[in-house]
């Protein structure tokens, strides 16, 4: 048996070749060396040598002749499954026989290759196996990454590092719709993306050196795709050097920045600096001051039709200026406070705020949010005049 040094590299499959005829052993090994993405881990002249190696090493693919002295290739495949149940297997045979196909099913053999070997056909089989294997690896890493995001910072950063994603770039996409649709859209830009799900978001990770091209492709794809519902926010986070991002960092950014800056009915893309600037604009917004003063006066005067009409005007203005959901929540909470101060609420103001907050989170247009808020407020506001108000109104009429 001839062993080769383990060259750890992403996207490389380690292969054990088993063949009792030295010329064919060298031929198969040379084919593998000429095929991108494969590394010969060991050359074995018998099944026993192969099993000895498989018991101590990590192997992705086993290629074996079917007829050898001692244990056959099929018997080797059966024994090898005990060491590596997920390992891929190719059997090389000098005979065409449908009987082999029956054996392939329980042993989960990927392919039977007939001698003389057609190099093009053989490499097509190798590429197909490599694609399957890499997808399986990536799915496993994604699963572990999502588990680590539950709070294991060390494991989370180690997984990113093993995938070459330290230093890395992050694209955080908040999207309350179908994540399958979102991922399909992103994969058309880059199929091997590393990602995880968190609440209504998907976080994508990739090596820093691939940043510009990856960000451009994904954001263009997401922006052009007719996603339903259309509400969403795509945030490109700058490079995380050294150990990479922490779980706490990413969760805080999602909770305190992304969720607050979603714009109803819009799918927007920001860099971190652009998002910070937009948050500052929302915090200093004053274009609704005059309408806000009018609505406060009419609440105290119980001019309900005017109040509801002004509220609709406010929402049209906010839609025009693309004000985010955090702004809408603050304004609606202030409106509830105005009703409460004037003793115009029939229920607890906190329950009113909770119902309106839920609508803002679930609905996907300013119009829907406006109508939903109007419905809640109309149901919770005491629109009937009190006895004092009726006496004041009567006095005003007599005086007039």
């Amino acid at each position: 048996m001839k062993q080769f040094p383990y060259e750890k590299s992403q996207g490389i499959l380690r292969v054990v070749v088993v063949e009792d005829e030295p010329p064919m052993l060298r031929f198969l090994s040379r084919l593998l060396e000429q095929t991108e993405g494969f590394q010969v881990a060991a050359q074995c002249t018998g099944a026993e040598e192969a099993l000895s190696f498989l018991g101590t090493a990590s192997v992705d693919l086993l290629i074996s002749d079917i007829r050898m002295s001692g244990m056959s290739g099929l018997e080797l495949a059966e024994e090898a499954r005990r060491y590596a149940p997920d390992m891929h297997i190719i059997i090389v045979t000098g005979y065409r026989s449908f009987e082999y196909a029956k054996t392939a099913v329980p042993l989960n053999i990927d392919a039977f290759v007939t001698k003389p070997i057609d190099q093009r056909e053989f490499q097509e089989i190798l590429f197909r196996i490599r694609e399957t294997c890499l997808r399986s690896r990536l799915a496993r890493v994604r699963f572990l990454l999502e588990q680590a995001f539950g709070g294991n910072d060390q494991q989370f950063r180690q997984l990113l590092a093993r995938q070459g994603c330290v230093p890395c770039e992050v694209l955080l996409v908040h999207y309350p719709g179908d994540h399958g649709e979102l991922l399909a859209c992103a994969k058309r830009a880059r199929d091997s993306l590393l990602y995880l799900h968190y609440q209504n978001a998907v976080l994508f990770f990739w090596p820093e050196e691939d940043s510009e091209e990856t960000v451009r492709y994904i954001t263009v794809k997401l922006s052009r795709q007719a996603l339903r519902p259309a509400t969403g926010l795509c945030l490109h986070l700058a490079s995380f050097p050294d150990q990479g991002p922490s779980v706490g960092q990413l969760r805080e950014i999602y909770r305190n920045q992304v969720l607050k800056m979603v714009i109803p009915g819009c799918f927007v893309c920001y860099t971190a600096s652009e998002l910070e600037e937009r948050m500052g604009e929302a915090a200093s917004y004053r274009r609704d001051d005059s309408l806000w003063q009018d609505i406060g006066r009419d609440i105290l005067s119980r001019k309900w039709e005017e109040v509801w009409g002004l509220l609709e005007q406010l929402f049209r203005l906010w839609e025009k200026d693309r004000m985010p959901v955090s702004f809408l929540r603050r304004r609606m909470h202030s409106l509830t406070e105005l009703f409460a101060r004037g003793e115009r609420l029939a229920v607890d103001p906190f329950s009113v705020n909770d119902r309106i907050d839920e609508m803002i989170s679930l609905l996907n247009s300013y119009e829907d949010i406006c109508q939903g808020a109007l419905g809640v407020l109309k149901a919770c506001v005491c629109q009937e005049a009190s006895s004092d108000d009726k006496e004041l109104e009567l006095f005003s009429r007599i005086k007039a």
Side-chain angles (χ1 to χ4, degrees):
M1 176 174 61
K2 184 177 181 181
Q3 299 184 32
F4 298 87
Y6 180 25
E7 298 176 8
K8 187 175 182 180
S9 177
Q10 297 297 327
I12 300 296
L13 270 62
R14 302 189 74 223
V15 188
V16 171
V17 184
V18 189
E19 171 63 68
D20 58 359
E21 296 180 6
M24 179 57 69
L25 182 62
R26 290 192 296 270
F27 172 74
L28 289 170
S29 299
R30 189 168 64 251
L31 273 182
L32 288 163
E33 291 167 0
Q34 295 171 354
T35 306
E36 182 181 357
F38 292 86
Q39 175 195 357
V40 177
Q43 295 175 342
C44 304
T45 56
E48 290 76 11
E49 286 184 359
L51 288 174
S52 175
F53 182 80
L54 290 172
T56 59
S58 174
V59 175
D60 301 296
L61 173 62
L62 171 68
I63 301 176
S64 175
D65 191 7
I66 195 168
R67 289 195 176 184
M68 299 179 292
S69 57
M71 190 182 293
S72 71
L74 293 178
E75 290 170 331
L76 169 60
E78 185 174 3
E79 287 295 318
R81 282 279 171 245
R82 300 179 184 178
Y83 295 101
D86 299 325
M87 182 174 60
H88 296 270
I89 300 175
I90 296 175
I91 297 295
V92 180
T93 174
Y95 304 92
R96 294 184 181 274
S97 173
F98 291 107
E99 291 299 317
Y100 294 146
K102 298 178 183 178
T103 309
V105 174
L107 293 180
N108 195 22
I109 292 172
D110 293 84
F112 283 93
V113 178
T114 306
K115 299 176 184 178
I117 294 175
D118 183 309
Q119 295 188 28
R120 186 173 180 178
E121 179 186 351
F122 184 67
Q123 287 184 323
E124 285 177 357
I125 293 171
L126 290 177
F127 286 136
R128 187 173 68 245
I129 289 175
R130 181 172 181 266
E131 182 179 358
T132 301
C133 190
L134 293 183
R135 284 185 178 179
S136 177
R137 280 187 190 176
L138 194 58
R140 176 64 178 167
V141 172
R142 287 168 179 163
F143 172 76
L144 293 174
L145 198 66
E146 205 154 306
Q147 281 193 322
F149 202 71
N152 191 329
D153 253 339
Q154 183 178 0
Q155 184 185 8
F156 179 72
R157 285 170 160 165
Q158 286 176 349
L159 286 166
L160 288 178
R162 288 173 192 164
Q163 299 303 307
C165 288
V166 173
C168 76
E169 302 269 334
V170 180
L171 199 67
L172 198 164
V173 184
H174 168 78
Y175 181 61
D178 181 5
H179 280 185
E181 181 183 11
L182 174 65
L183 292 173
C185 180
K187 286 179 180 179
R188 284 196 287 272
R190 186 184 179 99
D191 185 52
S192 59
L193 276 171
L194 192 63
Y195 62 83
L196 64 86
H197 298 268
Y198 177 64
Q199 295 186 9
N200 279 334
V202 179
L203 287 79
F204 297 97
F205 306 86
W206 62 87
E208 185 181 31
E209 60 268 19
D210 296 342
S211 174
E212 184 177 348
E213 181 181 356
T214 302
V215 171
R216 184 176 68 252
Y217 282 158
I218 294 179
T219 53
V220 167
K221 287 286 185 184
L222 293 179
S223 299
R224 290 180 178 176
Q225 181 77 6
L227 297 172
R228 293 292 182 270
T231 300
L233 190 148
C234 180
L235 175 61
H236 174 214
L237 298 171
S239 174
F240 289 90
D242 303 327
Q243 293 181 323
S246 72
V247 172
Q249 276 179 300
L250 295 175
R251 284 183 170 183
E252 185 176 354
I253 290 170
Y254 179 67
R255 182 175 59 252
N256 294 330
Q257 296 182 32
V258 172
L259 286 180
K260 292 182 177 180
M261 296 307 294
V262 172
I263 299 173
C266 298
F267 194 96
V268 293
C269 297
Y270 294 122
T271 62
S273 59
E274 289 170 343
L275 184 65
E276 186 176 350
E277 181 181 352
R278 188 75 179 97
M279 291 177 74
E281 292 172 355
S284 60
Y285 185 81
R286 292 293 179 269
R287 277 169 46 82
D288 59 355
D289 279 357
S290 60
L291 285 172
W292 200 249
Q293 292 171 5
D294 292 343
I295 207 170
R297 183 190 62 243
D298 289 340
I299 287 173
L300 294 176
S301 303
R302 294 183 181 274
K303 296 180 180 179
W304 301 120
E305 292 306 316
E306 286 84 346
V307 169
W308 311 137
L310 287 169
L311 186 57
E312 290 179 338
Q313 288 184 50
L314 280 172
F315 269 96
R316 285 195 291 270
L317 177 62
W318 295 337
E319 181 176 13
K320 180 181 178 182
D321 293 339
R322 291 171 56 131
M323 301 312 295
V325 294
S326 60
F327 174 87
L328 299 183
R329 289 193 184 97
R330 286 199 305 271
R331 283 294 195 260
M332 296 309 296
H333 290 186
S334 297
L335 182 61
T336 305
E337 186 178 350
L338 285 176
F339 280 113
R341 283 181 182 176
E343 298 182 354
R344 304 302 192 244
L345 281 181
V347 297
D348 178 54
F350 295 106
S351 65
V352 177
N353 287 337
D354 287 344
R355 291 172 64 182
I356 293 177
D357 285 351
E358 185 177 8
M359 287 184 179
I360 292 173
S361 300
L362 295 176
L363 300 177
N364 294 296
S365 73
Y366 291 90
E367 174 64 23
D368 289 345
I369 294 172
C370 177
Q371 295 307 314
L374 281 172
V376 171
L377 290 171
K378 287 179 180 180
C380 297
V381 168
C382 301
Q383 300 192 46
E384 291 296 325
S386 65
S387 58
D388 290 341
D389 291 331
K390 289 178 181 178
E391 290 175 6
L392 180 61
E393 182 181 357
L394 179 60
F395 176 77
S396 299
R397 289 179 180 175
I398 294 172
K399 188 176 179 181

